[in-house]
Amino acid sequence: RRPTSTTIFKMKYTIIAALIASATAFTAPKVEVPSAVKAAIAGAAVTAGVAISPAFAGDVGAGEQVFNANCAACHAGGQNVIMPEKTLEKEALESYLAGGRNEKAVMTQVTNGKNAMPAFGGRLSDEDIANVAAYVISTSESGWDE
């Protein structure tokens, strides 16, 4: 016997509530990068002729930790368990992410939330959000492991 649409809705609602509750229980440990290391990286970037924007120079490695602790429940492997068409794949981000596929747009959505996605602005630091945005953009470019 097939479940009714009301039963399916209740199941989805229960799953969403459980995912949101579990996402609030986990936070990534804060990793402090020493000032000397930041200065050395900035100096090397300037020497190499690479511009670093402090507002959007997220740490991809730290972003992966934040993503795994806070985002993977719904977005494991770059997918979306709530709205399957809105993945974190490069083409999908280019087509639906407000502001286009860039770190600033990801930071805005993570901070403020949208539709079924909760806002993480009150739960994650600006640095954590910048790091997860860098991870999402970088991984959407290189491809998600499924």
Side-chain angles (χ1 to χ4, degrees):
R1 191 173 114 169
R2 293 182 56 136
T4 65
S5 61
T6 303
T7 302
I8 292 171
F9 174 79
K10 288 179 181 177
M11 290 169 54
K12 284 185 176 181
Y13 183 78
T14 302
I15 290 169
I16 291 169
L19 290 171
I20 290 171
S22 67
T24 61
F26 299 100
T27 55
K30 184 114 175 139
V31 176
E32 194 62 42
V33 178
S35 298
V37 172
K38 289 180 184 178
I41 292 170
V46 170
T47 302
V50 177
I52 294 179
S53 169
F56 306 119
D59 179 317
V60 174
E64 182 177 16
Q65 291 180 344
V66 175
F67 182 91
N68 288 337
N70 296 277
C71 314
C74 293
H75 294 291
Q79 300 305 299
N80 185 327
V81 299
I82 307 300
M83 300 177 84
E85 71 282 3
K86 294 193 174 181
T87 70
L88 301 180
E89 302 286 347
K90 181 178 180 179
E91 297 76 19
L93 291 175
E94 288 169 348
S95 67
Y96 76 79
L97 186 62
R101 186 185 147 271
N102 60 70
E103 289 183 35
K104 182 177 180 184
V106 173
M107 289 171 63
T108 299
Q109 184 147 333
V110 171
T111 300
N112 301 321
K114 186 174 182 183
N115 299 324
M117 181 174 163
F120 284 86
R123 296 184 234 180
L124 299 175
S125 69
D126 290 346
E127 182 179 9
D128 284 343
I129 292 172
N131 291 343
V132 82
Y135 172 71
V136 167
I137 294 301
S138 172
T139 309
S140 72
E141 184 65 36
S142 63
W144 293 86
D145 293 333
E146 309 239 355

